[in-house]
Amino acid sequence: MALELRPNCEFCDKDLPPASTQARICTFECTFCADCVEHELHDVCPNCGGGFAPRPIRPRGEWRDGTGLAHDPAGTRRRQLRYSEAEVAALVEQLAGVDPRER
Ligand SMILES: [Zn+2]
Ligand SMILES: [Zn+2]
């Protein structure tokens, strides 16, 4: 199954189209923008506590059979954080100083 290219930042709701270089994901595909990851979340996913990596850009072209954006289009269901600002801040405070490899 292909990575779900979610359409927005869960924190600030900014659009993150498939070609965006600002999308960041955790291992569960929780998706945020680079600004929020850097300034609000400090590399702590508020849903799972993991770190983030830049989301790779899926090619527009079908360079191999069954690949590309036309074959596996970006997701359309917008996500919104299920935790309050206080809950997010508490987890960030707990984990921001811990390297993701040690969480
Ligand atoms: Zn954001
Ligand atoms: Zn996560």
Side-chain angles (χ1 to χ4, degrees), residues 77-95:
R77 186 158 82 81
R78 299 181 80 83
R79 311 293 171 108
Q80 202 181 3
L81 213 51
R82 291 161 297 159
Y83 300 98
S84 71
E85 268 188 50
E87 288 172 316
V88 171
L91 191 66
V92 167
E93 182 169 337
Q94 191 179 354
L95 293 177

Side-chain angles (χ1 to χ4, degrees), residues 6-17 20-25 30-43 46 52-55:
R6 299 183 181 173
N8 67 310
C9 172
E10 266 188 50
F11 194 91
C12 73
D13 200 37
K14 182 187 291 179
D15 286 339
L16 295 169
S20 173
T21 57
Q22 298 302 303
R24 301 289 181 269
I25 55 172
C30 308
T31 303
F32 297 87
C33 73
D35 276 349
C36 287
V37 166
E38 187 177 345
H39 302 295
E40 307 285 348
L41 304 173
H42 302 282
D43 203 29
F52 289 100
R55 185 177 71 190

